[in-house]
Amino acid sequence: MNATNANPEGAGTEARLPDVEITSAFWRRYIDLVIDKVLPYQWSVLNGEREVDLPPDPGGNPVDAYDKLNHSIRNLRVAAGEEDAPFRGMPFQDSDVYKWLEAVAYALHHRSDPELRRLADGVVDLIARAQREDGYLDTFFQIKEHDRVFKRIQQSHELYVMGHYIEAAVAYWQATGNEKALGVARRMAACIEENFGDGETQIHGADGHPEIELALACLAEATGEERYAAMGRWFLNVRGQDPDFYDEQNRADGWDRDFFAVIRDFPRTYYQAAEPIADQRDADGHAVRVTYLCTGLAHIARLTGDASLAESAERLWDSIVRRRMYITGQIGSTHVGESFTYDYDLPNDTMYGETCASVGMSFFARQMLAMKARGEYGDVLEKELFNGTLAGMSLDGTHFYYVNPLEADPAACKGTPDKGHVLTHRAGWFACACCPANLARLITSIDRYIYTVMADGTILAHQFIASKAVFPSGVRIEQAGDYPWDGVITWRVDNPTDRAVRFGVRIPAWSADSFELHVDGGQARPDVVDGFAYVEVPAGGEGFEVRLDLNMAVRLVRSSNRVREDAGKVAVMRGPLVYCAEECDNAGPLWLYSVSGAAPTEAGYRFEPDLLGGVGVVTKAAMRAQEDPEDGPLYLSAEDRGISELVELRMVPYYTWANRDDGQMTVWLNRS
């Protein structure tokens, strides 16, 4: 376990993280898949060793300028002066390499892999050679736009790119002790500190794509240096102070010299820059930008004790979770700007639901938990981990979704431009390839998402992932269970310290009315405070056992009737998993099916080990209307209801869809 971790001294919550070995069959399969297939596959793409066919860009960016070879690593070699070639790819393409490096760092925690370590060390060396003496590093500008550094930050993504490197450097340093990686990050941060601030010659604005804020928080917590958190706080507070800042920069740079002309005239809310953070009431604009900004808000609020930033994080959390989030945890209702729209606007077939946005919500939820022990944060994190994020990757690890709909039809995707951003089969890569590496780094860091240690030493067990954990305090916890298929979770806690440990177990909202908690063999009835049940683990003891029994019955869920698209419909869930119907299991069209809204005990459940890597399958009685003849009238009398038959509707977990035959899929079902 963690054979390569150098365990450098850190500060804050990250320093209190346990050393975790994942034993969950569900998550172990995904971790091994990423290490054995996903990271090598992504390396071969990033290094230009594998041709990829690019689908139309779902965000509307042109892809005709990109050939079948990716040039991310080559761009770094060119910036380092080791090769002579033009820049190729998206301006922010360096970030794909950095996310890959971060995923490798987490992978090395799970398994010693000399070849992977050799490749990653080589990448760090290359990055160090490509960095300018002043600490600046962005190959697009170093190769192609030398005179425009920090001149058009509405669109340039420079701080976004460098933020992703800082995150990767922190993770790689923590995993391997590689000081060169951290040194590059420190020089990068110094360059940013030199160029941005309140000084007369400094830039008084923030990157159009938030990311640097959360990256600086990571650097601050890892190194214990408060200056980085202070810099992140400045970036948060400067955003929106001067709503005309981007326009003024663009005019000075040349109004029509856009990097992304499509986004220049988007409203300022797209960049979260229409007003100061303290005044923002709703989660507006580009969904990934919002989640990265909010992650930085929560993290820096905790590091600095800034109550105003904490209030803003909570306010934006409520806006997303209560009014703008899909049942799977996905966010982003429109492909136009990859953005939020308005409250309760949650279309299922034209939605965006970018994989990166679900990853970003996972980051946000984790930081909210570190700030406050509130079960809802763990509930949303669970929703994202088991539904919103995993749907973004095929079970073979080499195909990915950028857009994740809750209803899809191959004919509609091909036949109407309004749904052209939706694919019913995953792609091997994208011109804008942010999602594949983002998902890889989340999966390989899953051990960081199981427990949160609060400032008073309380240990929160909020994700049910079988594992063995050793905390810096000496406390050891072995969690067992076959979640998400089985709802019995046990924790065996050894507390060799001379103080009792407060241990909080999350009670999911979906089982809050029906659960049992057993402590050392006896049933306990503790008060549930904000979604957590607390027990005291005595000092100097071994084998203290806590067992949670959750209600894993299949259940039907409806949305608020403020959501027009889901009115009169129900979704099927079991435990944390959202289920969907696919045409490969049920004769289409799927919109002809309706299910009873009666007690969900009518539904059947069976685990099928040979299907889709081993999944629980739900079957439920449904009525299927006979399809009207193709050459029949387009409109009929309402009295002619047609013929319906009783059938068995078969459903699989949403994250597994589109791994078999191409066809229709739906999460929401008509309610009879």
Side-chain angles (χ1 to χ4, degrees):
M1 180 169 59
N2 197 23
T4 61
N5 195 332
N7 275 327
E9 290 297 320
T13 299
E14 297 300 309
R16 299 194 296 269
L17 282 176
D19 184 14
V20 178
E21 176 187 0
I22 301 295
T23 57
S24 160
F26 183 94
W27 286 104
R28 190 72 245 177
R29 190 189 79 80
Y30 270 102
I31 291 168
D32 290 341
L33 178 67
V34 171
I35 296 174
D36 294 333
K37 293 194 68 175
V38 178
L39 291 176
Y41 172 81
Q42 292 183 358
W43 170 257
S44 68
V45 173
L46 294 169
N47 208 40
E49 298 171 351
R50 179 189 297 265
E51 289 190 352
V52 289
D53 288 316
L54 302 177
D57 185 75
N61 296 300
V63 299
D64 55 352
Y66 308 107
D67 56 37
K68 293 184 178 182
L69 291 178
N70 185 282
H71 301 279
S72 298
I73 297 294
R74 191 195 69 171
N75 288 337
L76 284 163
R77 290 199 298 268
V78 174
E82 299 168 4
E83 189 171 332
D84 183 16
F87 178 92
R88 295 299 299 271
M90 290 286 186
F92 46 76
Q93 197 149 304
D94 295 356
S95 64
D96 298 337
V97 177
Y98 303 155
K99 281 181 280 190
W100 177 88
L101 177 62
E102 186 179 351
V104 170
Y106 301 135
L108 293 174
H109 172 91
H110 297 288
R111 187 197 304 172
S112 177
D113 189 322
E115 175 59 17
L116 199 56
R117 173 71 186 271
R118 183 188 67 80
L119 289 177
D121 281 347
V123 168
V124 170
D125 291 342
L126 174 59
I127 291 168
R129 295 194 302 272
Q131 186 177 34
R132 290 192 333 197
E133 288 187 8
D134 66 353
Y136 182 87
L137 177 55
D138 188 310
T139 65
F140 174 73
F141 288 89
Q142 290 171 251
I143 298 169
K144 187 175 182 179
E145 301 285 355
H146 318 84
D147 61 340
R148 299 178 71 187
V149 169
F150 298 140
K151 296 289 181 63
R152 202 183 192 91
I153 61 173
Q154 178 202 49
Q155 303 172 22
S156 70
H157 292 75
E158 289 161 274
L159 299 184
Y160 167 87
V161 168
M162 287 193 274
H164 273 301
Y165 176 75
I166 291 171
E167 283 193 89
V170 168
Y172 200 66
W173 172 65
Q174 290 175 328
T176 68
N178 188 307
E179 292 290 343
K180 181 180 288 187
L182 188 65
V184 170
R186 287 182 182 275
R187 290 191 295 277
M188 198 176 277
C191 173
I192 295 168
E193 191 174 34
E194 175 72 19
N195 284 276
F196 290 83
D198 295 323
E200 186 175 342
T201 61
Q202 291 180 302
I203 301 166
H204 306 156
D207 197 294
H209 197 311
E211 157 65 22
I212 190 61
E213 300 86 348
L214 72 89
L216 289 169
C218 290
L219 187 59
E221 188 147 42
T223 64
E225 295 190 31
E226 296 179 0
R227 58 188 282 235
Y228 298 130
M231 199 190 319
R233 185 183 184 187
W234 182 88
F235 276 117
L236 290 169
N237 285 320
V238 77
R239 187 174 293 275
Q241 295 289 346
D242 177 8
D244 295 326
F245 169 77
Y246 291 142
D247 287 347
E248 292 168 357
Q249 258 213 338
N250 292 346
R251 287 192 187 95
D253 183 53
W255 188 252
D256 295 324
R257 299 179 71 199
D258 293 294
F259 302 127
F260 297 97
V262 68
I263 68 174
R264 183 187 66 200
D265 297 322
F266 279 168
R268 291 162 179 160
T269 52
Y270 175 82
Y271 312 95
Q272 300 77 55
E275 55 190 353
I277 289 291
D279 297 331
Q280 292 183 24
R281 293 292 176 267
D282 296 311
D284 285 324
H286 187 274
V288 177
R289 298 173 196 238
V290 170
T291 60
Y292 283 12
L293 180 71
C294 288
T295 301
L297 270 174
H299 200 165
I300 290 177
R302 174 168 55 81
L303 293 179
T304 64
D306 190 320
S308 176
L309 294 183
E311 289 171 5
S312 293
E314 291 176 355
R315 187 171 58 250
L316 293 174
W317 173 275
D318 288 345
S319 173
I320 296 170
V321 172
R322 311 220 184 293
R323 299 182 293 279
R324 301 189 174 192
M325 175 182 282
Y326 286 88
I327 190 172
T328 50
Q330 286 146 343
I331 54 174
S333 297
T334 176
H335 70 282
V336 179
E338 306 177 319
S339 295
F340 291 101
T341 51
Y342 58 93
D343 286 350
Y344 305 108
D345 179 42
L346 297 169
N348 297 303
D349 57 347
T350 60
M351 64 180 282
Y352 209 67
E354 183 179 341
T355 299
C356 278
S358 291
V359 172
M361 276 303 298
S362 302
F363 298 161
F364 185 19
R366 178 174 180 253
Q367 290 302 329
M368 292 299 281
L369 272 165
M371 193 166 63
K372 179 187 291 187
R374 184 176 168 193
E376 180 180 85
Y377 303 144
D379 288 349
V380 171
L381 176 55
E382 177 181 78
K383 185 189 294 285
E384 300 292 353
L385 293 179
F386 284 104
N387 302 285
T389 60
L390 288 186
M393 184 172 71
S394 64
L395 295 176
D396 69 5
T398 61
H399 296 83
F400 305 91
Y401 268 146
Y402 197 107
V403 173
N404 294 273
L406 299 192
E407 178 184 327
D409 181 350
C413 296
K414 295 175 183 177
T416 172
D418 292 340
K419 299 177 184 177
H421 58 288
V422 175
L423 301 178
T424 54
H425 57 279
R426 293 172 180 84
W429 205 249
F430 304 96
C432 175
C434 50
C435 295
N438 224 356
L439 188 53
R441 68 173 176 151
L442 176 67
I443 290 172
T444 50
S445 64
I446 196 68
D447 55 290
R448 296 176 170 224
Y449 288 78
I450 302 172
Y451 299 102
T452 295
V453 183
M454 308 305 288
D456 64 358
T458 298
I459 297 175
L460 301 180
H462 51 79
Q463 298 306 309
F464 309 137
I465 299 176
S467 54
K468 298 176 182 178
V470 180
F471 291 77
S473 64
V475 172
R476 294 176 176 267
I477 300 178
E478 182 171 354
Q479 182 180 159
D482 191 23
Y483 200 75
W485 314 120
D486 186 87
V488 177
I489 304 104
T490 62
W491 294 266
R492 184 183 186 276
V493 186
D494 297 338
N495 178 18
T497 72
D498 58 1
R499 298 180 60 184
V501 172
R502 192 167 183 245
F503 185 61
V505 173
R506 179 176 61 90
I507 308 300
W510 50 263
S511 191
D513 295 331
S514 179
F515 72 93
E516 291 184 2
L517 189 70
H518 299 263
V519 178
D520 255 6
Q523 187 167 348
R525 299 187 181 278
D527 292 334
V528 177
V529 181
D530 279 347
F532 282 94
Y534 292 94
V535 300
E536 293 288 326
V537 180
E542 294 186 354
F544 186 86
E545 186 170 289
V546 178
R547 191 185 88 204
L548 177 64
D549 293 7
L550 298 172
N551 182 359
M552 298 293 283
V554 176
R555 63 192 190 279
L556 301 182
V557 179
R558 74 169 178 89
S559 71
S560 164
N561 59 19
R562 295 175 182 269
V563 181
R564 178 179 60 83
E565 292 84 355
D566 298 335
K569 295 179 180 290
V570 294
V572 175
M573 294 189 69
R574 182 179 183 272
L577 297 176
V578 175
Y579 276 72
C580 69
E582 288 192 272
E583 195 174 3
C584 58
D585 293 318
N586 309 280
L590 296 180
W591 59 78
L592 297 180
Y593 290 83
S594 61
V595 298
S596 168
T601 51
E602 296 176 0
Y605 173 80
R606 182 175 67 255
F607 186 79
E608 298 191 11
D610 298 325
L611 177 67
L612 296 168
V615 295
V617 175
V618 170
T619 55
K620 181 167 173 55
M623 296 301 296
R624 182 183 184 277
Q626 180 175 306
E627 190 173 11
D628 291 325
E630 186 175 358
D631 57 354
L634 186 58
Y635 301 101
L636 298 85
S637 168
E639 296 179 359
D640 181 5
R641 298 188 178 185
I643 300 173
S644 295
E645 59 177 335
L646 182 65
V647 297
E648 186 177 81
L649 185 66
R650 178 177 166 92
M651 288 163 281
V652 296
Y654 171 76
Y655 76 86
T656 68
W657 89 278
N659 278 282
R660 295 174 290 170
D661 295 338
D662 195 17
Q664 295 175 4
M665 179 278 295
T666 187
V667 166
W668 291 98
L669 304 165
N670 297 320
R671 183 174 186 172
S672 59

